[in-house]
Amino acid sequence: MKMTFRWYGADYDPIPLQYIKQIPGTSGIMGAMDWIPAGEVWSEDEIAPYIKQVNEAGLECEVIESVNVHEDIKLGRPTRDRYIENYCASLENLAKHGIKVVIYNFMPVFDWLRTELYHENPDGSTCLYYDDAVLQGMTPQDIVAKTADESAGFMLPGWEPERLAQLDEFMDAYQGMSPDELRDNYRYFLEGIIPTCEKVGIRMAVHPDDPAWPLFGIPRICNSRDDLDKIVSMVDSPANALCVCSGSLGSNPANDVPAIYREFGERGRVAAAHVRNVRYLGEKHFQEAAHLSSDGSLDMHAIMKAIHDYCPDVYVRPDHGRMIWGETGRAGYPLYDRALGIAYLNGLWEAIDKQA
Ligand code: CS2
Ligand code: MN
């Protein structure tokens, strides 16, 4: 298991690489270059200096998050072939610089979505928060405006300006699309990129829907055990793998998260894991909790034991954190609470490993 930390690049992340290096038991980062618009080729001119900077800080960068899939691929438009070609070129460039896993998602339009970015807790910390009852009273344009207003100027995954500029057009284009139609477009994408992945030695790791259900009446196809089974069956290759995110799948209590790690770990299809806790507050109503099991609703020991026993060679990261100790920054991506999360997850791992 390699413990990692998401980093947005020197120009976009207030957290210096040196601070990440100072977190005990952290091997490297899961990189992100959210300034590259979906559909464009990730050039070596962008990739090389980024990796060099990370390595000079004494950290590895073997995983990249969010080589975002252009909406035309998800919509199955004729332009998808050009964007798939570009995606393959990006994979070839990333592999030249040591990338082994690419985490991505196939969520229409939005990446993760919350109704509050800095929800105040009684102890004075803040967290990401979701209440479907609030969302029901909002349009997509409302939630985009609210998120932009609350985001303290930080760009959030999936909320890139060029994607949101086409929000109305995309929302219209998805109306009436069935989950199986979206799956057909997904299969076409995977069939287009997996041969390149096998050639260059990259594993794709699809990230689940967050939250784990459709939004605004447009389909989502990656939010249950059965969805994941359909996805890994689309193209039978170890390169067609998963990023099992405990907090995303865990937002729906019907998902048995440890069982999902066990099943797909045993099948050799877990390449990465985001391990965080959530606290259920009711039907489609949750907040993000500290990583400690007792602070939320998930059994973090069972999750880490499932990873240890069934997919021990994955890249792990603590995913999100609360804002504590007065920290300000990109909602969901603080230094302190993600560092506390790493310390806790590494502690669980050591105990599980020594008891094995
Ligand atoms: C991640 C997602 O940081 C996060 O919240 O779970 O943004 C994930 O990186 C993307 O969905 C992958 O493309
Ligand atoms: Mn995640």
Side-chain angles (χ1 to χ4, degrees), residues 237-327:
S237 163
N240 176 21
L242 307 173
C243 171
V244 180
C245 177
S246 65
S248 301
L249 290 165
S251 63
N252 177 352
N255 284 326
D256 181 343
V257 176
I260 287 171
Y261 279 111
R262 287 193 292 269
E263 175 185 349
F264 292 95
E266 193 153 46
R267 293 169 67 176
R269 295 303 190 89
V270 180
H274 292 171
V275 182
R276 65 177 160 86
N277 201 348
V278 290
R279 187 182 309 155
Y280 302 133
L281 302 171
E283 173 74 18
K284 292 189 178 180
H285 185 192
F286 65 88
Q287 70 178 76
E288 296 198 9
H291 288 76
L292 193 65
S293 298
S294 57
D295 198 63
S297 306
L298 301 183
D299 180 341
M300 305 307 280
H301 173 267
I303 286 168
M304 291 303 277
K305 179 149 176 51
I307 295 172
H308 178 276
D309 296 350
Y310 291 87
C311 44
D313 300 328
V314 292
Y315 297 90
V316 173
R317 73 174 169 85
D319 209 12
H320 304 163
R322 300 159 302 147
M323 287 296 169
I324 64 174
W325 304 342
E327 184 176 358

XYZ file of all heavy atoms in Angstrom, residues 237-327:
700
model
N -9.942 -6.551 -18.804
C -8.494 -6.286 -18.739
C -8.157 -5.735 -17.360
O -8.912 -4.922 -16.811
C -8.099 -5.244 -19.792
O -6.815 -4.704 -19.481
N -7.011 -6.129 -16.799
C -6.589 -5.558 -15.507
C -6.417 -4.042 -15.582
O -6.480 -3.357 -14.562
C -5.236 -6.235 -15.246
C -5.207 -7.446 -16.117
C -6.060 -7.136 -17.309
N -6.257 -3.529 -16.813
C -6.104 -2.072 -16.982
C -7.437 -1.351 -16.793
O -7.468 -0.138 -16.596
C -5.540 -1.767 -18.375
N -8.526 -2.118 -16.847
C -9.865 -1.536 -16.618
C -10.217 -1.766 -15.159
O -10.892 -2.738 -14.807
C -10.881 -2.214 -17.546
C -12.300 -1.731 -17.291
O -12.499 -0.655 -16.736
N -13.279 -2.549 -17.665
N -9.749 -0.840 -14.298
C -9.843 -1.061 -12.850
C -10.612 0.076 -12.171
O -11.127 0.975 -12.840
C -8.428 -1.195 -12.255
N -10.645 0.015 -10.846
C -11.477 0.916 -10.047
C -10.641 1.736 -9.072
O -9.592 1.281 -8.594
C -12.478 0.096 -9.223
C -13.352 -0.916 -9.971
C -14.137 -1.749 -8.956
C -14.276 -0.227 -10.947
N -11.152 2.927 -8.779
C -10.717 3.672 -7.598
C -11.888 3.589 -6.636
O -12.911 4.267 -6.806
C -10.416 5.130 -7.935
S -10.126 6.121 -6.432
N -11.795 2.689 -5.654
C -12.922 2.511 -4.734
C -12.841 3.606 -3.664
O -11.905 3.643 -2.864
C -12.908 1.111 -4.101
C -14.103 0.952 -3.150
C -12.941 0.026 -5.181
N -13.807 4.514 -3.717
C -13.836 5.659 -2.792
C -14.876 5.369 -1.719
O -16.094 5.362 -1.995
C -14.193 6.936 -3.549
S -14.332 8.385 -2.479
N -14.402 5.145 -0.494
C -15.309 4.706 0.581
C -16.366 5.760 0.886
O -17.516 5.440 1.167
C -14.497 4.414 1.850
O -13.901 5.606 2.345
N -15.989 7.046 0.811
C -16.936 8.107 1.159
C -17.991 8.301 0.087
O -19.146 8.613 0.387
N -17.604 8.133 -1.171
C -18.573 8.300 -2.266
C -19.587 7.162 -2.248
O -20.790 7.385 -2.168
C -17.838 8.343 -3.612
O -16.918 9.418 -3.632
N -19.097 5.916 -2.288
C -20.014 4.762 -2.235
C -20.739 4.743 -0.888
O -21.926 4.446 -0.810
C -19.235 3.458 -2.436
C -18.681 3.253 -3.845
C -17.627 2.142 -3.862
C -19.793 2.934 -4.849
N -20.002 5.136 0.155
C -20.572 5.085 1.505
C -21.669 6.104 1.748
O -22.382 6.029 2.748
N -21.845 7.058 0.819
C -22.937 8.045 1.018
C -24.303 7.360 0.911
O -25.313 7.916 1.352
C -22.832 9.158 -0.025
O -23.005 8.646 -1.350
N -24.300 6.153 0.331
C -25.537 5.359 0.290
C -25.351 4.171 1.233
O -24.548 3.274 0.945
C -25.790 4.837 -1.129
C -27.039 3.946 -1.204
O -27.622 3.609 -0.160
N -27.425 3.583 -2.411
N -26.059 4.131 2.367
C -25.837 3.062 3.355
C -26.138 1.667 2.814
O -25.709 0.675 3.404
C -26.780 3.428 4.511
C -27.693 4.480 4.010
C -27.046 5.125 2.838
N -26.799 1.597 1.651
C -27.076 0.275 1.052
C -25.799 -0.340 0.489
O -25.730 -1.550 0.236
C -28.121 0.406 -0.060
N -24.764 0.469 0.284
C -23.495 -0.063 -0.240
C -22.659 -0.641 0.896
O -22.358 0.062 1.869
C -22.706 1.037 -0.958
C -23.284 1.348 -2.340
O -23.795 0.463 -3.031
N -23.210 2.605 -2.739
N -22.282 -1.917 0.745
C -21.388 -2.569 1.724
C -19.953 -2.325 1.259
O -19.405 -3.094 0.447
C -21.707 -4.070 1.782
C -20.838 -4.813 2.803
O -19.790 -4.251 3.212
O -21.203 -5.941 3.179
N -19.357 -1.249 1.744
C -18.052 -0.791 1.224
C -16.939 -1.822 1.447
O -16.229 -2.164 0.492
C -17.701 0.593 1.797
C -16.316 1.032 1.345
C -18.746 1.634 1.372
N -16.801 -2.393 2.652
C -15.744 -3.407 2.804
C -15.929 -4.602 1.849
O -14.967 -5.096 1.277
C -15.883 -3.857 4.267
C -16.502 -2.692 4.962
C -17.437 -2.081 3.945
N -17.182 -4.989 1.621
C -17.440 -6.116 0.715
C -17.032 -5.766 -0.714
O -16.544 -6.612 -1.469
C -18.918 -6.511 0.760
N -17.225 -4.512 -1.106
C -16.833 -4.073 -2.445
C -15.324 -4.110 -2.583
O -14.798 -4.606 -3.592
C -17.391 -2.669 -2.736
C -18.908 -2.763 -2.968
C -16.702 -2.025 -3.954
C -19.622 -1.433 -3.048
N -14.588 -3.664 -1.558
C -13.112 -3.771 -1.603
C -12.696 -5.244 -1.712
O -11.810 -5.605 -2.493
C -12.480 -3.162 -0.349
C -12.348 -1.653 -0.375
C -13.111 -0.851 0.463
C -11.438 -1.024 -1.230
C -12.988 0.526 0.449
C -11.300 0.370 -1.248
C -12.080 1.127 -0.404
O -11.968 2.496 -0.420
N -13.370 -6.120 -0.925
C -12.985 -7.533 -0.946
C -13.243 -8.154 -2.314
O -12.356 -8.774 -2.918
C -13.750 -8.307 0.147
C -13.284 -8.021 1.558
C -13.837 -9.030 2.556
N -15.289 -8.890 2.711
C -15.852 -8.088 3.634
N -15.088 -7.344 4.425
N -17.173 -8.008 3.736
N -14.466 -7.941 -2.830
C -14.825 -8.608 -4.093
C -13.923 -8.150 -5.239
O -13.344 -8.958 -5.972
C -16.281 -8.337 -4.462
C -16.613 -8.940 -5.834
C -18.007 -8.629 -6.349
O -18.846 -8.101 -5.566
O -18.261 -8.925 -7.529
N -13.800 -6.831 -5.409
C -13.070 -6.337 -6.581
C -11.559 -6.385 -6.360
O -10.797 -6.453 -7.312
C -13.588 -4.951 -6.964
C -15.001 -4.984 -7.480
C -16.073 -4.744 -6.633
C -15.263 -5.355 -8.792
C -17.383 -4.828 -7.100
C -16.574 -5.455 -9.268
C -17.629 -5.191 -8.408
N -11.143 -6.436 -5.075
C -9.736 -6.696 -4.808
C -9.379 -8.108 -5.223
O -8.379 -8.352 -5.916
N -10.242 -9.049 -4.827
C -9.997 -10.474 -5.178
C -9.992 -10.663 -6.702
O -9.268 -11.478 -7.246
C -11.096 -11.340 -4.557
C -10.787 -12.837 -4.566
C -11.502 -13.569 -3.424
O -12.711 -13.304 -3.234
O -10.841 -14.348 -2.714
N -10.799 -9.846 -7.401
C -10.870 -9.943 -8.867
C -9.728 -9.181 -9.539
O -9.655 -9.103 -10.758
C -12.226 -9.435 -9.353
C -13.397 -10.331 -8.935
C -14.753 -9.727 -9.163
N -15.075 -9.548 -10.584
C -16.277 -9.084 -10.998
N -17.219 -8.754 -10.101
N -16.517 -8.939 -12.285
N -8.843 -8.570 -8.723
C -7.684 -7.867 -9.294
C -8.047 -6.573 -9.988
O -7.351 -6.118 -10.901
N -9.127 -5.941 -9.570
C -9.616 -4.733 -10.273
C -9.657 -3.490 -9.391
O -10.323 -2.514 -9.755
C -11.023 -5.010 -10.823
C -11.069 -6.086 -11.884
C -10.149 -5.780 -13.080
N -10.389 -6.704 -14.176
C -11.292 -6.470 -15.131
N -12.023 -5.376 -15.090
N -11.473 -7.351 -16.095
N -8.940 -3.479 -8.282
C -8.836 -2.243 -7.494
C -7.422 -1.702 -7.664
O -6.448 -2.346 -7.295
C -9.135 -2.487 -5.991
C -9.014 -1.170 -5.207
C -10.524 -3.089 -5.803
N -7.305 -0.519 -8.276
C -5.977 0.073 -8.493
C -5.713 1.223 -7.516
O -4.567 1.612 -7.295
C -5.870 0.598 -9.931
N -6.784 1.778 -6.956
C -6.614 2.924 -6.050
C -7.775 2.953 -5.061
O -8.847 2.367 -5.327
C -6.581 4.229 -6.846
N -7.550 3.640 -3.957
C -8.600 3.759 -2.938
C -8.566 5.158 -2.328
O -7.487 5.666 -1.981
C -8.390 2.710 -1.845
N -9.729 5.757 -2.236
C -9.906 6.976 -1.445
C -10.598 6.520 -0.169
O -11.688 5.934 -0.234
C -10.804 7.980 -2.166
C -10.178 8.560 -3.394
N -10.897 9.331 -4.271
C -8.928 8.497 -3.898
C -10.116 9.716 -5.263
N -8.915 9.221 -5.058
N -9.973 6.771 0.981
C -10.539 6.237 2.228
C -10.925 7.391 3.144
O -10.060 8.084 3.690
C -9.539 5.300 2.931
C -10.172 4.708 4.196
C -9.115 4.162 1.988
N -12.209 7.644 3.234
C -12.701 8.679 4.141
C -14.035 8.219 4.729
O -14.671 7.296 4.224
C -12.880 10.040 3.447
C -13.928 10.107 2.366
C -14.051 11.527 1.807
N -14.675 11.532 0.491
C -15.977 11.561 0.292
N -16.823 11.567 1.327
N -16.475 11.554 -0.946
N -14.480 8.933 5.767
C -15.671 8.567 6.519
C -16.801 9.556 6.195
O -16.538 10.700 5.798
C -15.346 8.627 8.025
C -16.282 7.807 8.877
O -17.316 7.351 8.417
N -15.906 7.655 10.143
N -18.033 9.104 6.348
C -19.196 10.002 6.233
C -20.114 9.725 7.411
O -20.069 8.644 8.009
C -20.010 9.789 4.921
C -19.245 10.263 3.712
C -20.449 8.344 4.767
N -20.907 10.715 7.748
C -21.888 10.534 8.837
C -23.286 10.673 8.263
O -23.620 11.718 7.696
C -21.661 11.581 9.935
C -22.522 11.352 11.179
C -22.303 12.429 12.222
N -20.890 12.615 12.499
C -20.389 13.777 12.971
N -21.179 14.810 13.191
N -19.086 13.895 13.205
N -24.072 9.585 8.336
C -25.440 9.633 7.818
C -26.301 10.497 8.734
O -26.246 10.365 9.954
C -26.058 8.231 7.775
C -25.300 7.235 6.949
C -25.039 5.969 7.441
C -24.818 7.556 5.687
C -24.317 5.049 6.697
C -24.095 6.650 4.928
C -23.855 5.396 5.435
O -23.138 4.485 4.711
N -27.128 11.350 8.067
C -28.030 12.208 8.853
C -29.473 11.910 8.480
O -30.395 12.510 9.011
C -27.688 13.683 8.583
C -26.227 14.084 8.904
C -25.955 15.503 8.388
C -25.946 14.000 10.396
N -29.643 10.982 7.529
C -30.980 10.649 7.044
C -30.914 10.242 5.585
O -29.825 10.122 5.010
N -32.077 10.061 4.983
C -32.146 9.634 3.572
C -31.486 10.688 2.662
O -31.835 11.867 2.697
C -33.638 9.487 3.201
C -33.932 9.203 1.730
C -33.583 7.762 1.344
O -33.451 6.938 2.258
O -33.429 7.499 0.135
N -30.464 10.292 1.936
C -29.747 11.200 1.030
C -29.365 12.499 1.737
O -29.520 13.610 1.228
C -30.603 11.502 -0.219
C -30.791 10.288 -1.124
C -31.453 10.657 -2.435
C -31.573 9.437 -3.344
N -32.211 9.770 -4.647
N -28.835 12.307 2.949
C -28.490 13.446 3.805
C -27.280 13.038 4.626
O -27.347 12.067 5.396
C -29.680 13.775 4.717
C -29.481 15.013 5.557
N -30.329 15.330 6.604
C -28.543 15.992 5.518
C -29.922 16.459 7.162
N -28.845 16.890 6.512
N -26.119 13.667 4.380
C -24.895 13.247 5.093
C -23.936 14.416 5.221
O -24.075 15.437 4.524
C -24.212 12.093 4.351
C -23.672 12.457 2.980
C -22.385 12.978 2.821
C -24.466 12.299 1.837
C -21.897 13.331 1.559
C -23.987 12.647 0.570
C -22.710 13.157 0.440
N -22.972 14.240 6.082
C -21.873 15.199 6.125
C -20.571 14.427 6.151
O -20.542 13.234 6.504
C -21.973 16.111 7.344
C -21.711 15.453 8.684
C -21.781 16.469 9.814
O -22.863 16.886 10.204
N -20.634 16.868 10.330
N -19.493 15.076 5.744
C -18.201 14.415 5.788
C -17.655 14.521 7.209
O -17.709 15.569 7.832
C -17.250 15.024 4.751
C -17.765 14.801 3.331
C -16.704 14.989 2.269
O -15.509 15.122 2.606
O -17.081 15.003 1.069
N -17.158 13.402 7.706
C -16.720 13.311 9.106
C -15.200 13.194 9.139
O -14.550 13.062 8.091
C -17.352 12.067 9.741
N -14.642 13.233 10.333
C -13.228 12.899 10.487
C -13.057 11.426 10.105
O -14.051 10.679 10.026
C -12.788 13.132 11.934
N -11.809 10.992 9.887
C -11.610 9.612 9.436
C -11.945 8.591 10.509
O -12.384 7.485 10.192
C -10.163 9.440 8.952
C -9.908 10.140 7.650
N -9.755 11.515 7.548
C -9.811 9.669 6.369
C -9.573 11.850 6.284
N -9.592 10.761 5.538
N -11.788 8.933 11.774
C -12.027 8.002 12.888
C -13.419 7.369 12.771
O -14.416 8.082 12.602
C -11.929 8.807 14.195
C -11.846 8.077 15.517
C -10.548 7.282 15.616
C -11.943 9.087 16.665
N -13.478 6.048 12.872
C -14.770 5.356 12.718
C -15.847 5.986 13.593
O -16.976 6.220 13.151
C -14.614 3.874 13.116
O -13.699 3.226 12.275
N -15.496 6.275 14.853
C -16.513 6.731 15.812
C -16.999 8.143 15.503
O -17.996 8.599 16.055
C -15.936 6.701 17.239
O -14.757 7.508 17.290
N -16.335 8.816 14.553
C -16.788 10.177 14.220
C -17.838 10.150 13.106
O -18.489 11.154 12.824
C -15.592 11.046 13.770
C -15.941 12.528 13.837
O -16.200 13.019 14.944
O -16.020 13.165 12.774
N -17.993 8.973 12.461
C -18.944 8.897 11.346
C -19.689 7.576 11.357
O -19.829 6.948 12.418
N -20.143 7.149 10.179
C -20.998 5.952 10.083
C -20.303 4.752 9.477
O -20.898 3.667 9.409
C -22.242 6.300 9.241
O -22.889 7.441 9.783
N -19.085 4.906 8.988
C -18.398 3.791 8.333
C -17.414 3.130 9.298
O -16.879 3.784 10.198
C -17.646 4.278 7.078
C -18.484 4.951 5.988
C -17.602 5.309 4.788
C -19.639 4.068 5.537
N -17.194 1.828 9.060
C -16.224 1.078 9.878
C -14.872 1.136 9.162
O -14.614 0.340 8.252
C -16.712 -0.371 10.031
C -15.748 -1.209 10.882
O -14.575 -0.798 11.040
O -16.171 -2.271 11.370
N -14.051 2.075 9.560
C -12.787 2.323 8.853
C -11.807 1.178 9.058
O -10.984 0.900 8.170
C -12.187 3.650 9.310
C -13.129 4.844 9.164
S -13.816 5.021 7.508
C -12.431 5.793 6.692
N -11.922 0.477 10.186
C -11.053 -0.702 10.390
C -11.423 -1.782 9.374
O -10.549 -2.356 8.710
C -11.188 -1.231 11.815
C -10.453 -2.518 12.040
N -11.046 -3.754 11.907
C -9.147 -2.772 12.323
C -10.160 -4.711 12.128
N -8.997 -4.136 12.387
N -12.715 -2.028 9.220
C -13.157 -3.059 8.262
C -12.728 -2.698 6.851
O -12.347 -3.565 6.052
C -14.676 -3.219 8.339
N -12.773 -1.411 6.528
C -12.366 -0.951 5.190
C -10.871 -1.181 4.991
O -10.443 -1.774 3.998
C -12.750 0.530 5.001
C -14.267 0.654 4.802
C -11.991 1.150 3.828
C -14.803 2.063 4.888
N -10.064 -0.739 5.940
C -8.610 -0.915 5.795
C -8.224 -2.390 5.834
O -7.308 -2.822 5.121
C -7.854 -0.130 6.870
C -7.925 1.378 6.699
S -7.331 1.974 5.106
C -5.551 2.025 5.423
N -8.959 -3.192 6.607
C -8.642 -4.645 6.644
C -8.981 -5.290 5.303
O -8.223 -6.133 4.804
C -9.421 -5.336 7.770
C -9.155 -6.847 7.865
C -9.253 -7.390 9.263
C -9.090 -8.913 9.295
N -7.868 -9.385 8.569
N -10.086 -4.856 4.705
C -10.452 -5.409 3.387
C -9.380 -5.055 2.352
O -8.978 -5.886 1.531
C -11.812 -4.869 2.966
N -8.887 -3.816 2.403
C -7.821 -3.399 1.471
C -6.561 -4.222 1.744
O -5.935 -4.772 0.827
C -7.544 -1.891 1.606
C -8.767 -1.077 1.160
C -6.306 -1.491 0.782
C -8.661 0.420 1.446
N -6.221 -4.352 3.022
C -5.005 -5.099 3.404
C -5.070 -6.547 2.927
O -4.091 -7.107 2.396
C -4.846 -5.054 4.922
C -3.656 -5.825 5.434
N -3.680 -7.182 5.675
C -2.389 -5.421 5.732
C -2.487 -7.579 6.104
N -1.694 -6.541 6.147
N -6.239 -7.158 3.078
C -6.345 -8.598 2.792
C -6.607 -8.910 1.320
O -6.276 -9.991 0.833
C -7.471 -9.216 3.639
C -7.166 -9.142 5.147
O -6.010 -8.800 5.500
O -8.080 -9.388 5.946
N -7.207 -7.972 0.590
C -7.640 -8.304 -0.787
C -7.021 -7.450 -1.889
O -7.046 -7.834 -3.059
C -9.173 -8.252 -0.881
C -9.840 -9.361 -0.113
C -10.140 -9.217 1.243
C -10.116 -10.574 -0.736
C -10.722 -10.249 1.966
C -10.705 -11.625 -0.017
C -11.005 -11.454 1.334
O -11.583 -12.484 2.038
N -6.495 -6.283 -1.546
C -5.851 -5.445 -2.584
C -4.765 -4.607 -1.920
O -4.817 -3.382 -1.910
C -6.860 -4.573 -3.312
S -8.078 -3.746 -2.291
N -3.753 -5.293 -1.362
C -2.737 -4.598 -0.551
C -1.783 -3.707 -1.339
O -1.068 -2.893 -0.742
C -1.967 -5.754 0.091
C -2.162 -6.918 -0.834
C -3.524 -6.750 -1.430
N -1.791 -3.831 -2.683
C -0.812 -3.064 -3.460
C -1.385 -1.781 -4.056
O -0.863 -1.245 -5.020
C -0.256 -3.947 -4.596
C 0.422 -5.197 -4.020
O 0.979 -5.078 -2.900
O 0.333 -6.279 -4.650
N -2.489 -1.305 -3.480
C -3.116 -0.104 -4.066
C -2.486 1.180 -3.549
O -1.782 1.203 -2.546
C -4.634 -0.051 -3.741
C -5.388 -1.159 -4.445
C -4.880 -0.036 -2.245
N -2.771 2.250 -4.294
C -2.468 3.601 -3.822
C -3.681 4.064 -3.017
O -4.818 3.946 -3.475
C -2.251 4.549 -5.000
C -1.077 4.187 -5.877
C -1.236 3.344 -6.971
C 0.198 4.685 -5.608
C -0.162 3.008 -7.779
C 1.286 4.355 -6.409
C 1.096 3.514 -7.495
O 2.171 3.177 -8.293
N -3.423 4.598 -1.836
C -4.492 5.076 -0.958
C -4.304 6.579 -0.739
O -3.178 7.075 -0.737
C -4.433 4.346 0.407
C -5.420 4.952 1.408
C -4.719 2.846 0.237
N -5.428 7.291 -0.607
C -5.300 8.644 -0.092
C -6.478 8.916 0.836
O -7.538 8.307 0.723
C -5.152 9.698 -1.186
C -6.366 10.052 -2.005
C -6.002 11.225 -2.926
N -6.980 11.526 -3.956
C -8.048 12.309 -3.770
N -8.297 12.820 -2.571
N -8.879 12.537 -4.769
N -6.331 9.866 1.771
C -7.390 10.138 2.742
C -8.561 10.920 2.149
O -9.535 11.210 2.835
C -6.682 10.955 3.826
C -5.570 11.638 3.109
C -5.132 10.683 2.025
N -8.493 11.216 0.867
C -9.557 11.873 0.083
C -9.817 13.289 0.605
O -9.082 14.203 0.270
C -10.827 11.028 0.088
C -11.625 11.253 -1.200
O -11.068 11.857 -2.138
O -12.789 10.857 -1.255
N -10.842 13.457 1.437
C -11.169 14.817 1.894
C -10.881 14.976 3.386
O -10.547 14.013 4.073
C -12.656 15.110 1.664
C -13.099 14.927 0.260
N -14.416 14.811 -0.107
C -12.396 14.830 -0.895
C -14.505 14.646 -1.417
N -13.292 14.657 -1.905
N -11.071 16.225 3.857
C -10.957 16.477 5.296
C -11.801 17.684 5.669
O -12.294 18.418 4.795
N -11.972 17.868 6.984
C -12.692 19.039 7.498
C -11.696 20.193 7.600
O -10.470 19.973 7.594
C -13.246 18.725 8.893
C -14.221 17.552 8.967
C -14.268 17.042 10.400
N -12.921 16.644 10.838
C -12.507 16.785 12.102
N -13.288 17.299 13.049
N -11.266 16.406 12.426
N -12.206 21.392 7.721
C -11.353 22.536 8.074
C -11.316 22.616 9.600
O -12.373 22.804 10.241
C -11.944 23.836 7.504
C -11.793 23.965 6.001
S -10.032 24.050 5.525
C -10.206 23.868 3.745
N -10.147 22.391 10.182
C -10.002 22.450 11.650
C -8.875 23.425 12.000
O -8.123 23.851 11.112
C -9.663 21.047 12.228
C -8.307 20.555 11.715
C -10.763 20.051 11.888
C -7.852 19.236 12.361
N -8.793 23.800 13.294
C -7.693 24.659 13.799
C -7.602 25.977 13.004
O -6.505 26.526 12.832
C -6.355 23.910 13.705
C -6.349 22.588 14.429
C -7.236 22.174 15.398
C -5.437 21.500 14.219
N -6.919 20.881 15.799
C -5.822 20.460 15.103
C -4.329 21.287 13.405
C -5.144 19.225 15.164
C -3.645 20.077 13.467
C -4.057 19.062 14.344
N -8.747 26.412 12.518
C -8.767 27.712 11.838
C -8.216 27.696 10.431
O -8.028 28.752 9.817
N -7.944 26.511 9.886
C -7.387 26.452 8.532
C -8.385 26.991 7.515
O -9.599 26.777 7.666
C -6.989 25.015 8.160
C -6.299 24.916 6.791
C -5.813 23.519 6.432
O -5.965 22.601 7.259
O -5.277 23.354 5.325
